[in-house]
Amino acid sequence: MDWNKAGVPHKGWSCVGVEDIADSSCDGEDIEYERCEMCGQEKIRFVHIMRHPEYPYELRVGCICAEKMSDDYVNPRRAEDSLRNRALRRKNFDKTTWNYNPRKNTYSKKYKGEYITIMQSRYGNWGIFFAENRIWDYNGRKIRSMEDANRVAFEIFEQYHTTQEERDRRFWREQAERVRDLWPDQDE
């Protein structure tokens, strides 16, 4: 426990990242929780990675220790809540079933009012089609299985999904730009 260890600063730390340990585990698989390196609390799911300019190592800690170490009682909780919400969205995404279209040899699902499609190429790789994007490689790697395609589909959805309100705003902004392009002297 580093709160009592000599040479470990108690304040002045910066959070350089937050990880959801369960994000890398599969459904039904036991989660290998971590232990807070500052207080020793077991079963830390959301790990805050802390760095200090006068300490040579990063510490992996829980939210409460991250708040105390950084003297920030808002952002560590906010970051953890964001990851917790993402995990819930992932769970809901996985609950929605893929519907097979034999005519097109594709799988599609409707999630949050939008369709996302995956398909296997004739070479065996998988692709994701969403929001006018066709993705066959993700993070520099081919998508090799339907399970990987499902995981990547969620990531793509998270990256490109917009609400109807955002799409309407973009539409009207584009319309206003077209009008300005047609009659440029109207703004003067």
Side-chain angles (χ1 to χ4, degrees):
M1 303 338 121
D2 288 344
W3 281 116
N4 299 324
K5 188 175 178 184
V8 177
H10 289 191
K11 299 287 183 192
W13 291 81
S14 298
C15 185
V16 295
V18 184
E19 294 176 8
D20 179 0
I21 298 303
D23 197 34
S24 60
S25 66
C26 298
D27 284 341
E29 194 177 283
D30 285 341
I31 300 169
E32 291 191 31
Y33 294 100
E34 289 197 21
R35 170 180 257 171
C36 177
E37 293 181 328
M38 198 65 169
C39 73
Q41 172 67 38
E42 294 181 14
K43 285 198 157 190
I44 302 294
R45 175 178 169 175
F46 300 98
V47 177
H48 299 255
I49 301 153
M50 306 299 287
R51 193 176 287 157
H52 194 282
E54 297 170 13
Y55 192 71
Y57 309 107
E58 289 180 346
L59 292 182
R60 297 173 65 84
V61 303
C63 187
I64 293 170
C65 287
E67 290 172 341
K68 291 177 183 176
M69 294 164 74
S70 65
D71 204 28
D72 179 353
Y73 295 89
V74 175
N75 290 316
R77 180 73 54 198
R78 188 175 287 159
E80 192 167 304
D81 288 345
S82 175
L83 286 177
R84 194 178 310 275
N85 289 337
R86 175 180 157 63
L88 288 172
R89 287 191 306 273
R90 174 63 195 254
K91 190 175 182 178
N92 289 333
F93 183 85
D94 288 343
K95 282 182 185 175
T96 309
T97 59
W98 291 101
N99 299 308
Y100 180 65
N101 181 338
R103 194 169 45 83
K104 294 181 179 179
N105 197 26
T106 61
Y107 296 86
S108 296
K109 71 165 64 178
K110 187 174 183 180
Y111 181 66
K112 291 191 176 185
E114 297 191 64
Y115 285 96
I116 187 162
T117 301
I118 60 175
M119 72 174 288
Q120 190 172 23
S121 74
R122 63 179 151 203
Y123 304 109
N125 297 323
W126 290 78
I128 291 98
F129 306 101
F130 179 68
E132 300 177 17
N133 294 288
R134 295 173 184 261
I135 294 132
W136 293 95
D137 298 323
Y138 188 70
N139 289 339
R141 299 176 69 184
K142 299 279 185 206
I143 304 164
R144 302 278 185 203
S145 68
M146 186 168 181
E147 292 78 23
D148 287 346
N150 183 61
R151 182 183 51 77
V152 172
F154 174 74
E155 298 298 332
I156 297 302
F157 187 87
E158 285 280 292
Q159 184 177 350
Y160 293 108
H161 172 68
T162 57
T163 64
Q164 183 63 46
E165 183 179 315
E166 291 168 327
R167 289 189 296 275
D168 289 345
R169 239 181 290 149
R170 185 176 62 226
F171 171 79
W172 290 112
R173 193 171 40 247
E174 289 169 359
Q175 295 302 313
E177 288 171 10
R178 285 189 189 116
V179 168
R180 277 194 296 272
D181 290 345
L182 291 172
W183 297 290
D185 58 340
Q186 297 297 317
D187 290 336
E188 297 173 2

